[in-house]
Structure formats: structure tokens, C-alpha cells
């Protein structure tokens, strides 16, 4: 499973890139606004220079013509830009055009299998079903992931990767991984939670304490 980080905070991205475990980045207009960065284009360029993997940069417009212009500008920033597009009729028309040109695309705000089928037919590189936001309204977000993976598996012509988004906790990622989802985009706080287990902490403390008793040094 590929791990992307869901943030536009350059410092958080740098810290996670240094772990060697980061495969990409996703941003969205809300995350960009939260970053406080004064230039969206410069921010995406900076992120693309930090991470070799796909970096999702979302269009701001909602109409076909303007989204196409924005998408072409975003795609020119770096080879690893994935243009993020809303799952709307115009968004999917842009997706099809960009996919036919070999430009990476990430279709976002997906909340149903029907939408996911359309995104695959539009040649999307990634589809982003929002698990957490479905859970937030008492719908089963992980069930959507399972359904999309099952549907895509029936059609070799569907090359779209399922990118689990709106992740709220490690269990969202673990359960999605069991289903065969290709990617998870995870908030930095949740990624850090993956490391934690009290038995690891207590076990390491015991190893350190017992090693001290040997009076030896490896170096
Ligand atoms: O960036 C797309 C998605 O992961 C955002 O989800 O629900 O945390 O705003 P959310």
C-alpha cells in the first residue's frame, strides 16, 4: 500500500519524507488555505521538489474551460503533479482530456461506487473516496472502499488506483489495506500514530536498562 500524506504543511512533509516511507502528497484548497502560503503555485513546486511521488494539486474552478486552463498550468509545475479534479460532469470531462494526454489525475470528493465507475471510465489515475466524511454522517466509508475495489477488480481496463482519503485513524488504513486499496492519504497526526504501541515502548526501555547492566559498548 502506498502512503501519501494529506497536508500542505511543508515542514510536516519534509519530516515525513525523511523517514523514507512517504510515497506522495495530497493537498486540497482547504489544506492550502490552512498552510497560509502566499503562492499556491510556489507551494506545489516546493512540495514537488521534496517528494518524488505524486503530488495532488487541486483546481479551484468548477467550469470546464477554466478548470482546463488551471489544470494545464498546474501540470506544468512538475512531472509529479497529479491534477486534482472534483467528481462532477465538467471535472470528469477535464479528467478524460488530461488522462488522454498522459497527465496524472486524482478525482476527488467521491462518495459512491457509481461515481467511482465514472472516474475509472474517465481514465483517472487515482480516485479519492472520502471515508471519514461518510462515517461522519453514519454511512459506512470502508464499505465504499470494498465495493470500489471489488468493482475495479472485475475490469482489467480500469487502471484507476483507489486512494483512500478523509482518513481519521489508523484503522481506516489497516481495513482498507485488507481490502486491497492501492493508496491511503493520511493526515500527519495519524501517520505518527502508526508507530505507537505501549509494548514496544516498555520492551525497548527494558532492553536499554538490561544493556546498561552489561557495562559494554558496541562502539
Ligand atoms: O484531501 C482530501 C481528503 O483527504 C480530505 O478529507 O475529511 O479530512 O477534509 P477531510
Amino acid at each position: 500500500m502506498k502512503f501519501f500524506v494529506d497536508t500542505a504543511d511543508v515542514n510536516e512533509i519534509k519530516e515525513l519524507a525523511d523517514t523514507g516511507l512517504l510515497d506522495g502528497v495530497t493537498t486540497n484548497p482547504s489544506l492550502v488555505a490552512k498552510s497560509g502560503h502566499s503562492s499556491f503555485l510556489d507551494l506545489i513546486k516546493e512540495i514537488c521538489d521534496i517528494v518524488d511521488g505524486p503530488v495532488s494539486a487541486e483546481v479551484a474552478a468548477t467550469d470546464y474551460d477554466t478548470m482546463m486552463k488551471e489544470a494545464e498550468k498546474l501540470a506544468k509545475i512538475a512531472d509529479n503533479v497529479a491534477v486534482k479534479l472534483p467528481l462532477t460532469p465538467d471535472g470528469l470531462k477535464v479528467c478524460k482530456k488530461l488522462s488522454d494526454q498522459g497527465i496524472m489525475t486524482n478525482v476527488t470528493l467521491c462518495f459512491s461506487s457509481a461515481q467511482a465507475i465514472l472516474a475509472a471510465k474517465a481514465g483517472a489515475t487515482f480516485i479519492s473516496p472520502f471515508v471519514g466524511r461518510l462515517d461522519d454522517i453514519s454511512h459506512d466509508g470502508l464499505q465504499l472502499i470494498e465495493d470500489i475495489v471489488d468493482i475495479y477488480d472485475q475490469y482489467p481496463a480500469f487502471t484507476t488506483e483507489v486512494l483512500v482519503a478523509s482518513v481519521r485513524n489508523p484503522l481506516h488504513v489497516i481495513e482498507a489495506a485488507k481490502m486491497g486499496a492501492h493508496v491511503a492519504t493520511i493526515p500527519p497526526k495519524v501517520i505518527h500514530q502508526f508507530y505507537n504501541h505501549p509494548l514496544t515502548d516498555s520492551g525497548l526501555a527494558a532492553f536499554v536498562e538490561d544493556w546498561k547492566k552489561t557495562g559494554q559498548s558496541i562502539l
Side-chain angles (χ1 to χ4, degrees):
M1 179 183 244
K2 286 176 271 188
F3 273 26
F4 293 2
V5 63
D6 199 27
T7 184
D9 184 308
V10 170
N11 292 327
E12 286 177 328
I13 294 167
K14 280 179 182 168
E15 181 187 346
L16 286 165
D18 286 347
T19 68
L21 303 177
L22 191 61
D23 300 303
V25 180
T26 55
T27 70
N28 64 43
S30 302
L31 292 171
V32 171
K34 187 180 172 186
S35 78
H37 204 290
S38 58
S39 165
F40 174 46
L41 301 180
D42 291 346
L43 172 63
I44 296 301
K45 179 70 171 75
E46 193 174 353
I47 296 172
C48 287
D49 289 342
I50 297 167
V51 178
D52 293 335
V55 175
S56 289
E58 190 162 342
V59 296
T62 55
D63 67 288
Y64 174 81
D65 290 337
T66 315
M67 278 197 279
M68 270 309 292
K69 291 177 186 144
E70 291 179 343
E72 285 161 358
K73 192 163 186 179
L74 292 173
K76 288 192 177 106
I77 293 172
D79 290 343
N80 56 324
V81 165
V83 177
K84 212 173 188 184
L85 300 156
L87 213 155
T88 62
D90 276 14
L92 290 187
K93 272 176 67 179
V94 173
C95 178
K96 186 70 173 80
K97 290 279 187 187
L98 296 179
S99 300
D100 290 347
Q101 294 170 30
I103 294 171
M104 269 196 294
T105 52
N106 178 0
V107 172
T108 190
L109 291 167
C110 173
F111 295 96
S112 75
S113 296
Q115 289 179 322
I117 291 171
L118 292 177
K121 289 179 66 64
T125 310
F126 303 105
I127 181 66
S128 291
F130 280 34
V131 174
R133 293 194 192 184
L134 284 166
D135 287 359
D136 292 345
I137 62 165
S138 306
H139 288 234
D140 187 343
L142 285 169
Q143 185 59 57
L144 175 59
I145 300 300
E146 185 171 25
D147 293 347
I148 295 171
V149 170
D150 288 349
I151 291 168
Y152 282 13
D153 283 352
Q154 308 307 314
Y155 301 95
F158 282 1
T159 57
T160 302
E161 294 190 353
V162 179
L163 192 165
V164 182
S166 189
V167 165
R168 297 281 192 269
N169 56 64
L171 284 180
H172 274 161
V173 180
I174 292 161
E175 292 305 315
K178 290 178 186 175
M179 298 167 183
H182 306 87
V183 189
T185 192
I186 313 167
K189 170 179 167 285
V190 177
I191 293 182
H192 292 302
Q193 288 171 330
F194 270 78
Y195 290 97
N196 302 337
H197 196 290
L199 290 181
T200 302
D201 297 342
S202 59
L204 184 57
F207 286 161
V208 168
E209 202 50 42
D210 289 345
W211 177 254
K212 279 180 187 168
K213 292 171 187 168
T214 72
Q216 298 182 54
S217 170
I218 294 173
L219 298 180

